[in-house]
Amino acid sequence: MSTQLCQTQSRPAACPLSTMPDPALCLEALSALSGCNVESTGGPSQLSPQDFVNIVALKEFYKQEGFKELEYPSLGTLSLQDEDDADLYSAPPALTEGPGPGESLRATVKINPQDFFHREYDYDFTNIKDGDKTFLRGNEQYVRPCGWNRAALRVVQKYDDGDCWLGTGKDAWPVSYHGYNMDGSHGIILTHGGCPNDEPQFLDAAAASLTTRETRGRGVYSTPDIKMAEKYCKRFKSKVDGKMYKVVLQNRINPAKRTKCQRADIWLVYIPEGRTDIQVRVIVQEAIRPYGLLLKQE
C-alpha cells in the first residue's frame, strides 16, 4: 500500500502523447549519452535505465582518472573517447553512415521502448514557465526542467526499497541533473572541509583542497540546476528529423551519499581512492537513480 502511495505522489499528470519525443529520437539521445549504438528491439531490453546512468557517470569518472576504456557487465569494453569532441554539432557516426575507423569499441545495445520508457509519466515542459513558484523533493528545492521535453523512464517498482525515493515527501530523494561533461576541471570541486562557522579555518581548508587530490572532489558530479546542466550537456544531430538536440538525464540523488560542494549548484558523489571497478559501480548505483530523459531542440 505504501509503495503505491509513493508512486502516485511521484509524478505529475502526463501531457498528451502527441507532444512527446519520437521513441526513435529517444534512442538516438541514449546513443549520444552512452557512446553506444542503441537500437530498438521487440525483445527485452539489454540494459535498464539504471545501467545507462551508471555508464554515463562511470565514463566521465574514469575519463577524469586518465583511463581510455571502461569494462561494463554484458557490454564488455567501452571506449571513453568522445567521438565528436572535435565537432559537437556532428551526429554520432553510428547514427549516420555507420561505424568508421577506430570505432570497434562502440558497443551495440538493444532497447525495447515498451519496457524501458514509461509513457504514462512523460511530461512536456517546453512551454512552461514556473516564475516564482517553488517545488520541493525530499524537502529540497526542485528546479523543474522548464523548456525541456521529458521522456519518463520505467523505474517504478524496480528497486528493493520501494518507490518513496521517487515521491514528493520528506523521504523522497532530491532531484539532480547530469550534464555529461561536468567534472573537477570546471572549478566546481571545492568541498566544505572544516567547520563552516569558523571562516579562517574554512578558507584554509578550501585553499588546501586546491593541492590535495583527495579533497579535490574525486567522483561523479551532478547539479540541482537544469541551467547549469545545460551548459555541460551532450548535443547531437538527429537522423529522425535532421535537427540539433541537447540531452540531459534527470535523476534522484541519495542525500546520504551526496556531498555539497562550495558552489551550491554542484553536488558530488565522492569515490574514495583504492576502490575496485565493482565497488565504484555500487557507489554510483546506491547514490544516483534516473527517472527522466530530457530533450531540448536547439
Side-chain angles (χ1 to χ4, degrees):
M1 182 67 179
S2 59
T3 298
Q4 182 64 29
L5 178 62
C6 292
Q7 177 184 345
T8 56
Q9 291 180 337
S10 65
R11 308 287 184 94
C15 290
L17 292 181
S18 60
T19 68
M20 302 317 300
D22 186 305
L25 177 62
C26 292
L27 295 186
E28 287 185 331
L30 291 174
S31 296
L33 274 175
S34 66
C36 300
N37 300 322
V38 181
E39 300 177 355
S40 181
T41 180
S45 294
Q46 187 178 354
L47 296 179
S48 68
Q50 182 66 55
D51 285 315
F52 270 91
V53 77
N54 289 353
I55 290 171
V56 173
L58 292 174
K59 288 185 73 171
E60 284 301 302
F61 170 69
Y62 282 113
K63 188 189 299 183
Q64 293 172 47
E65 293 294 293
F67 291 89
K68 297 186 181 300
E69 297 176 355
L70 165 69
E71 293 290 332
Y72 198 82
S74 78
L75 290 184
T77 304
L78 303 178
S79 173
L80 300 185
Q81 180 181 359
D82 193 346
E83 295 159 358
D84 54 359
D85 268 342
D87 182 7
L88 286 175
Y89 295 94
S90 62
L95 301 182
T96 54
E97 300 175 357
E103 293 180 42
S104 59
L105 294 179
R106 190 175 170 94
T108 296
V109 178
K110 301 290 187 180
I111 292 298
N112 185 333
Q114 296 300 316
D115 69 26
F116 191 87
F117 297 105
H118 206 163
R119 302 307 297 268
E120 179 185 352
Y121 297 114
D122 286 350
Y123 201 85
D124 189 357
F125 291 93
T126 302
N127 298 312
I128 292 178
K129 296 181 180 180
D130 284 337
D132 295 331
K133 295 179 182 177
T134 299
F135 300 87
L136 298 176
R137 297 293 184 270
N139 290 333
E140 295 195 30
Q141 184 174 1
Y142 166 35
V143 180
R144 300 204 303 175
C146 296
W148 295 75
N149 204 341
R150 182 176 69 198
L153 306 178
R154 193 172 292 277
V155 293
V156 172
Q157 298 181 355
K158 298 294 184 181
Y159 295 92
D160 292 339
D161 57 356
D163 294 323
C164 285
W165 65 275
L166 194 56
T168 58
K170 61 181 179 63
D171 294 327
W173 292 5
V175 174
S176 79
Y177 301 98
H178 194 102
Y180 183 79
N181 285 318
M182 295 175 62
D183 60 46
S185 67
H186 297 290
I188 56 179
I189 49 183
L190 295 180
T191 57
H192 291 288
C195 178
N197 296 323
D198 196 338
E199 186 173 348
Q201 277 81 356
F202 171 72
L203 293 176
D204 289 343
S209 70
L210 288 171
T211 56
T212 304
R213 179 178 178 83
E214 185 176 42
T215 58
R216 203 168 62 208
R218 182 180 189 266
V220 175
Y221 290 90
S222 63
T223 174
D225 185 353
I226 184 61
K227 292 182 179 179
M228 170 65 73
E230 185 172 0
K231 292 180 181 179
Y232 302 111
C233 72
K234 187 72 174 179
R235 294 167 168 83
F236 69 98
K237 184 175 182 180
S238 172
K239 185 179 177 182
V240 173
D241 58 16
K243 298 176 181 178
M244 293 299 308
Y245 288 90
K246 299 176 181 179
V247 56
V248 166
L249 280 173
Q250 186 176 29
N251 314 307
R252 296 296 185 99
I253 190 166
N254 187 337
K257 305 291 184 180
R258 169 200 59 183
T259 299
K260 291 186 178 181
C261 295
Q262 191 173 28
R263 288 186 56 164
D265 55 359
I266 300 297
W267 292 343
L268 168 71
V269 174
Y270 180 66
I271 299 178
E273 297 273 5
R275 297 299 190 268
T276 66
D277 290 348
I278 294 177
Q279 290 172 328
V280 170
R281 191 167 69 249
V282 168
I283 290 173
V284 173
Q285 290 184 169
E286 290 180 344
I288 306 173
R289 293 175 179 175
Y291 72 104
L293 181 72
L294 301 178
L295 289 164
K296 186 177 186 180
Q297 184 182 330
E298 291 197 313

